[in-house]
């Protein structure tokens, strides 16, 4: 059974990042949404693998991918990816730096807070391994956007 705290957390984690996309602009939304969908699909696959390997443990009694991992995939990944691409695409160093900061905050600070409020904790990964699990996808995201823009005929930056 899902706790009220976990349910509210899931709602906030899904809706707040998606509401932020109201401010990204129509042109940017169209430009970066394909890469955002790609990263969500890739992240869902990664979460299913991590779920199977017990890399983390949710405090709810019954395991449920839909209730536990899926909100992490659907909620912040696409909006955050689109915002990072909008603010730094064309400057790879800036993009990677922003990703290191965002992934570091999540892996080292947010995960410890989620453990304290008994939503999720790392089980078979330490914080550094979890950071690497989060961060390697930044290179895939940037590469995907680069190839997509080249294919679409956008002006490609590197």
């Amino acid at each position: 059974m899902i706790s009220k705290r976990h349910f509210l957390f899931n709602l906030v984690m899904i809706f707040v990042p998606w509401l932020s996309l109201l401010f990204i602009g129509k042109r940017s939304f169209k430009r970066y949404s394909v890469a955002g969908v790609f990263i969500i699909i890739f992240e869902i696959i990664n979460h299913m693998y991590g779920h199977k390997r017990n890399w983390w443990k949710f405090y709810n009694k019954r395991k449920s991918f839909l209730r536990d991992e899926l909100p992490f995939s659907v909620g912040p990944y696409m909006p955050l990816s689109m915002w990072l691409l909008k603010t730094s695409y064309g400057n790879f160093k800036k993009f990677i730096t922003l990703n290191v900061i965002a992934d570091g905050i999540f892996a080292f600070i947010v995960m410890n807070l989620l453990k304290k409020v008994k939503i999720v904790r790392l089980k078979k990964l330490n914080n550094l391994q979890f950071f690497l699990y989060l961060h390697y996808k930044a290179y895939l995201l940037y590469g995907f956007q680069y190839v997509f823009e080249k294919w679409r005929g956008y002006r490609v930056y590197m």
Side-chain angles (χ1 to χ4, degrees):
M1 186 164 153
I2 189 168
S3 68
K4 278 186 181 181
R5 174 182 40 218
H6 193 142
F7 180 74
L8 289 173
F9 174 78
N10 283 352
L11 285 178
V12 169
M13 189 171 50
I14 292 170
F15 288 112
V16 170
W18 281 91
L19 286 174
S20 76
L21 289 180
L22 293 172
F23 304 104
I24 200 167
K26 189 177 181 178
R27 184 170 179 255
S28 293
F29 185 85
K30 285 182 180 181
R31 183 176 181 185
Y32 301 120
S33 61
V34 175
V37 169
F38 164 76
I39 207 65
I40 280 181
I41 292 167
F42 192 78
E43 185 58 25
I44 288 171
I45 293 165
N46 276 268
H47 274 168
M48 289 187 322
Y49 184 76
H51 179 85
K52 190 175 187 177
R53 296 275 185 189
N54 291 316
W55 285 350
W56 44 77
K57 181 188 182 316
F58 284 84
Y59 284 90
N60 292 323
K61 297 295 181 206
R62 290 179 31 213
K63 285 185 174 183
S64 169
F65 177 79
L66 294 175
R67 181 191 62 229
D68 296 335
E69 284 94 350
L70 191 63
F72 281 90
S73 299
V74 174
Y77 270 93
M78 182 172 174
L80 181 60
S81 298
M82 290 174 65
W83 278 109
L84 289 170
L85 285 169
K86 178 184 167 95
T87 58
S88 61
Y89 187 72
N91 185 341
F92 186 69
K93 287 181 184 178
K94 182 178 179 182
F95 178 78
I96 292 303
T97 302
L98 290 174
N99 269 280
V100 165
I101 292 168
D103 295 338
I105 288 170
F106 191 78
F108 295 103
I109 297 171
V110 174
M111 283 305 289
N112 290 334
L113 290 172
L114 293 177
K115 181 180 178 181
K116 284 183 183 179
V117 295
K118 296 194 182 243
I119 291 179
V120 63
R121 69 176 172 84
L122 295 175
K123 189 173 179 182
K124 291 189 176 179
L125 296 177
N126 62 37
N127 290 76
L128 180 60
Q129 290 169 324
F130 187 67
F131 168 79
L132 294 172
Y133 162 80
L134 293 172
H135 185 67
Y136 85 92
K137 292 171 260 199
Y139 302 94
L140 293 173
L141 176 66
Y142 198 92
F144 184 91
Q145 184 66 30
Y146 179 82
V147 170
F148 177 73
E149 291 203 359
K150 199 169 191 173
W151 176 72
R152 292 283 291 175
Y154 285 111
R155 192 169 167 201
V156 178
Y157 301 101
M158 206 51 177

